[in-house]
Amino acid sequence: MNMDCPMEEALIRKRLSSVEGITGLEFNLMQRVLTVRHSLPSTLVIEEALASIDMIPERLGKAGTPASPVVEASIAWKKLAAAAVFAAFSEASELALAWSGGVSPFLEFLPFLFAAAAIILGGLGTYRKGWIAVSNLNLNINALMSVAVTGAVLIGQYPEAAMVMVLFNISEAIEARALNRARNAIGKLLALSPERAMVQQADGSWEERDIRTVSVGSIIRVKPGERVALDGVIRRGHSAVDQAPITGESIPVEKAEGDIVFAGTINTFGSFEFEATAAASDTTLSRIIHAVEDAQGRRAPIQRFVDAFARRYTPAVFLLSLLTAFGLPLCMDWAWKDAVYTALVLLVIGCPCALVISTPVSIVSGMAAAMRSGILVKGGMFLEQGRLLRCLAFDKTGTLTHGRPRLTDREILGAEEGERSALLAAGLAARSDHPVSRALAENAEEQGLALPDVEDFEAVPGLGVRGRVEGRLYHLGSRRMMACLGLDSAELEGRIAALESRGRTVVALAGEEGVLALFAVADTLRENSREAVRELKELGVHTVMLTGDNENVARVIASQAGVDEYFSGLLPEDKLHALEKLAARGGKVGMAGDGINDAPALARADIGFAMARGGTDTAMETADVALMDDDLRKIPRFIRLSRATYAILVQNIVLALGVKALFFALTFSGCATMWMAVFADVGTALLVVANGLRAAKK
């Protein structure tokens, strides 16, 4: 619970580096989680080493939560208030001593006594932490503050020493509360899944059970207003489900039999029963939680730079203070007391906390905002670098398009009525599992048509299908089937070629008297694809479509979507090569895909975007960003959020360094005091935390 910033991380690294058997350390400072990789027989040695530096560890359970309840350390506000009163008394007695001309023996000791009481009440913890840091050859804020307060006491600045210690501890308490708000920014989003669910038993009765004991295939009942406990498929009932926590959709989604529901979503008004398709540890929500926890451990480049800068900055400030204390009197005729006091002010203002907390707060807040929009970002590095995308490549099938053919055109050629031809074709298609046949059958189902009975059905490999309806033989297939039947003609070829030039796949229905109708199917564009491409262009991102389809299909879909260029006839390895060519033009390149064949390109891209709802697990795991509702408009939203988060990061860093630079100048000009330095440092820390939290509202 004491691990807050890279200062503590450095202290822990230094202490555990002396423990043999430890092979790796991973820090998640925002969630205060340390992962230790080791070959030791038990963790006892590790726990004792951490306890020796006042980092009392709490083991995590299998679910990633503390094995026993962890209570946030309460702040001793009453003790701090008493310390503040004694510090004020020290200042008042100092003023009274000055008014009396310094001749009152009674008043002479009061400033020191009151200051000592204030320091003891408010600063023993700081001294303990400072001593631990110094004894481990580590300079953190507690060490700097301990040296500064002790130095102030030694040069007789009792009221200031007391006030600095009290203000420092009050600021630490306020800062801790502000940081906890940042920690909770994502935690609140993840506390979604209920712990228990109503499960149907073998005898048909219902029993409330812990979701961790519910197996895949179990039937679970959800009442109005309840949260869905596990991922599943509705088997009975219908409702509208609020999926905002998972997909970011702003309005509830209608759900009926056969529809998918996600753990953590909210049932609004109806009641339904669903079959669990994932265990509690494998739900979409649990995968999101795991990805977020992993993401918080991956630091953005700017965050790694700030941490590295802080590690060198603190010793440099300490060295500058020493040079000030001893160099100014020896080289510039400064009074020793003034030089030491100036050095102490430098120690106080030199604290790097405001700088090092500015980046994780902003990054985590930005990730929280992304999650609320249904965008799962797997690391701060991707959120920061999204602003640099200059080119985005889309897979076509299942990404820009729905990923399944739909009936788009119907041309009647024979004597049969249009409705009759459609029924005959759908009747034959319903018996086939070919994608084109499924498109015809689904269209008939959507219209509620009653399909005719088909007898003597037969699939003709590579050509189509045939069967008898009411005793008459019908064929449904490609132009090759028509040619084999001797039904091809120049007119038929022309009609088929015209449809294929528009990116359609064409099948013909033929009866005993000749060709009756042509049916064209195509993979249709998603409703939001064109808008997503338009927004990306407005952001200055070059758009490209990659597809394995032929030139005609690729040209039509590319034109409909409005992408800048396209590559057709690509195998999975060809998509990877195409992405490498795009990267060679310069700038960061992204890739959006949904299938296993997109995984190589997703892995090669600077940022990979996966369609999480309809995509494969392989694409989801390979990508760096997951779009929970498959809405491509989330990609420009991600880029805008990345730019806004980066702007806040830069603001925080400039503010933190600017205030320090200003106070360094004021210190050497003799205009800054220790308590002013504390206020400046505390105020800056609170400002960068508050500014960082703005990213969560973007």
Side-chain angles (χ1 to χ4, degrees):
M1 296 304 292
N2 293 336
M3 185 174 72
D4 282 305
C5 74
M7 299 294 103
E8 282 85 16
E9 177 182 333
L11 180 61
I12 293 172
R13 284 190 184 279
K14 195 169 190 66
R15 180 65 185 86
L16 293 185
S17 65
S18 62
V19 179
E20 293 186 6
I22 293 180
T23 58
L25 300 174
E26 297 174 11
F27 291 82
N28 184 337
L29 297 179
M30 288 303 296
Q31 298 302 323
R32 291 170 166 161
V33 173
L34 167 65
T35 303
V36 183
R37 304 188 184 280
H38 63 90
S39 57
L40 299 169
S42 74
T43 61
L44 183 60
V45 175
I46 299 171
E47 293 177 42
E48 290 177 347
L50 290 169
S52 69
I53 54 174
D54 200 35
M55 296 288 165
I56 310 301
E58 176 71 20
R59 295 190 189 188
L60 295 181
K62 292 183 179 179
T65 56
S68 60
V70 173
V71 180
E72 192 75 44
S74 60
I75 299 167
W77 290 108
K78 291 183 180 179
K79 187 181 289 187
L80 283 177
V85 170
F86 280 118
F89 283 167
S90 178
E91 183 70 40
S93 58
E94 181 85 4
L95 291 174
L97 182 63
W99 290 338
S100 68
V103 296
S104 173
F106 174 74
L107 294 175
E108 191 171 342
F109 296 101
L110 284 182
F112 171 76
L113 293 176
F114 284 133
I119 292 170
I120 292 171
L121 280 172
L124 286 183
T126 301
Y127 272 111
R128 185 180 71 254
K129 295 175 184 177
W131 171 249
I132 291 172
V134 172
S135 61
N136 284 274
L137 302 179
N138 180 269
L139 288 174
N140 62 16
I141 179 57
N142 294 293
L144 294 181
M145 203 58 60
S146 298
V147 172
V149 172
T150 302
V153 171
L154 292 177
I155 63 173
Q157 297 290 334
Y158 307 127
E160 199 145 11
M163 193 61 71
V164 165
M165 183 61 81
V166 171
L167 289 174
F168 170 70
N169 280 277
I170 291 176
S171 72
E172 288 283 285
I174 296 173
E175 189 177 300
R177 292 175 70 95
L179 278 173
N180 285 333
R181 281 189 60 199
R183 291 189 178 96
N184 293 335
I186 283 181
K188 290 179 181 178
L189 295 174
L190 302 180
L192 298 174
S193 182
E195 296 181 355
R196 304 184 69 80
M198 191 64 70
V199 183
Q200 189 175 41
Q201 305 304 298
D203 61 0
S205 63
W206 296 89
E207 179 184 347
E208 190 177 64
R209 292 171 52 187
D210 189 315
I211 63 170
R212 290 172 293 184
T213 66
V214 178
S215 59
V216 174
S218 298
I219 301 298
I220 299 172
R221 186 168 64 195
V222 184
K223 296 179 181 179
E226 290 184 342
R227 288 187 182 272
V228 179
L230 297 169
D231 288 359
V233 177
I234 294 180
R235 296 305 181 206
R236 185 180 297 119
H238 69 278
S239 182
V241 178
D242 181 0
Q243 299 188 150
I246 302 296
T247 66
E249 291 165 292
S250 58
I251 60 175
V253 179
E254 294 290 334
K255 298 285 184 178
E257 292 182 17
D259 288 337
I260 296 173
V261 290
F262 300 106
T265 55
I266 305 168
N267 181 25
T268 57
F269 62 82
S271 179
F272 61 85
E273 299 169 12
F274 71 91
E275 179 183 345
T277 57
S281 59
D282 296 323
T283 64
T284 301
L285 178 62
S286 66
R287 289 162 65 189
I288 291 174
I289 293 172
H290 175 74
V292 170
E293 289 174 344
D294 184 53
Q296 292 186 41
R298 301 186 189 181
R299 294 178 182 170
I302 194 168
Q303 189 174 350
R304 292 197 297 269
F305 163 76
V306 168
D307 292 347
F309 175 80
R311 283 195 295 271
R312 292 164 176 78
Y313 168 79
T314 304
V317 168
F318 196 82
L319 179 60
L320 177 62
S321 299
L322 288 177
L323 292 174
T324 300
F326 296 100
L328 292 181
L330 294 175
C331 301
M332 301 183 66
D333 294 329
W334 275 46
W336 281 96
K337 185 175 180 179
D338 293 341
V340 170
Y341 183 81
T342 301
L344 298 179
V345 175
L346 289 176
L347 285 179
V348 175
I349 195 58
C351 168
C353 280
L355 182 62
V356 297
I357 67 173
S358 62
T359 48
V361 170
S362 303
I363 291 292
V364 171
S365 297
M367 289 171 61
M371 282 193 61
R372 277 201 300 275
S373 298
I375 306 169
L376 175 60
V377 186
K378 297 185 180 179
M381 66 185 78
F382 307 119
L383 180 61
E384 183 199 329
Q385 294 191 355
R387 65 190 173 85
L388 300 175
L389 281 179
R390 293 293 176 266
C391 176
L392 184 69
F394 295 96
D395 168 57
K396 181 189 79 70
T397 307
T399 303
L400 280 172
T401 67
H402 287 98
R404 64 181 189 275
R406 305 280 295 179
L407 179 64
T408 57
D409 301 88
R410 183 177 66 183
E411 293 188 10
I412 306 303
L413 305 178
E416 294 279 4
E417 294 180 1
E419 194 67 30
R420 172 70 175 170
S421 296
L423 284 173
L424 290 170
L428 290 169
R431 303 285 296 273
S432 171
D433 59 358
H434 190 278
V436 175
S437 295
R438 285 203 300 270
L440 296 181
E442 287 173 2
N443 180 70
E445 288 177 8
E446 290 172 0
Q447 297 183 47
L449 301 178
L451 302 183
D453 294 329
V454 178
E455 299 175 342
D456 300 332
F457 178 84
E458 181 183 0
V460 183
L463 297 178
V465 298
R466 64 189 172 202
R468 292 186 180 274
V469 178
E470 299 176 353
R472 303 182 66 178
L473 181 64
Y474 292 95
H475 294 78
L476 179 69
S478 64
R479 67 167 72 185
R480 288 176 57 201
M481 174 177 267
M482 299 302 107
C484 292
L485 294 172
L487 299 176
D488 57 331
S489 65
E491 181 187 358
L492 181 66
E493 286 291 325
R495 287 177 176 270
I496 292 176
L499 290 170
E500 288 182 340
S501 68
R502 292 158 52 196
R504 310 292 197 251
T505 298
V506 183
V507 293
L509 174 69
E512 295 172 352
E513 64 272 30
V515 178
L516 303 176
L518 296 178
F519 299 91
V521 301
D523 186 7
T524 55
L525 198 69
R526 287 180 184 270
E527 295 77 7
N528 51 47
S529 293
R530 180 184 293 275
E531 186 178 349
V533 171
R534 178 183 58 78
E535 290 183 24
L536 285 167
K537 289 183 177 181
E538 290 174 354
L539 292 170
V541 178
H542 183 76
T543 54
V544 181
M545 186 184 77
L546 309 179
T547 180
D549 284 336
N550 60 52
E551 171 70 18
N552 283 338
V553 173
R555 184 184 67 254
V556 170
I557 296 296
S559 175
Q560 291 176 354
V563 295
D564 295 311
E565 63 177 316
Y566 65 90
F567 297 90
S568 60
L570 302 179
L571 297 173
E573 57 268 27
D574 297 327
K575 290 183 180 180
L576 177 61
H577 296 151
L579 207 69
E580 290 174 342
K581 290 180 181 178
L582 294 173
R585 298 178 183 176
K588 298 287 184 182
V589 177
M591 170 71 189
D594 71 310
I596 294 175
N597 61 349
D598 298 321
L602 288 171
R604 166 61 183 84
D606 294 297
I607 301 180
F609 298 88
M611 311 293 277
R613 177 187 285 179
T616 63
D617 288 344
T618 302
M620 175 81 169
E621 292 167 5
T622 305
D624 309 307
V625 179
L627 310 179
M628 302 309 297
D629 62 351
D630 294 357
D631 187 344
L632 291 176
R633 291 174 297 181
K634 299 294 173 65
I635 298 179
R637 159 72 173 150
F638 167 79
I639 294 174
R640 285 192 291 267
L641 182 60
S642 172
R643 293 179 180 180
T645 302
Y646 184 77
I648 290 174
L649 281 170
V650 172
Q651 291 166 10
N652 281 347
I653 292 172
V654 170
L655 176 63
L657 292 178
V659 169
K660 293 193 182 302
L662 173 62
F663 262 80
F664 276 132
L666 291 175
T667 300
F668 282 110
S669 66
C671 299
T673 61
M674 289 179 65
W675 65 266
M676 288 171 59
V678 172
F679 269 126
D681 184 63
V682 174
T684 305
L686 294 178
L687 282 174
V688 298
V689 169
N691 194 41
L693 288 173
R694 285 198 308 118
K697 300 177 182 179
K698 292 296 182 181

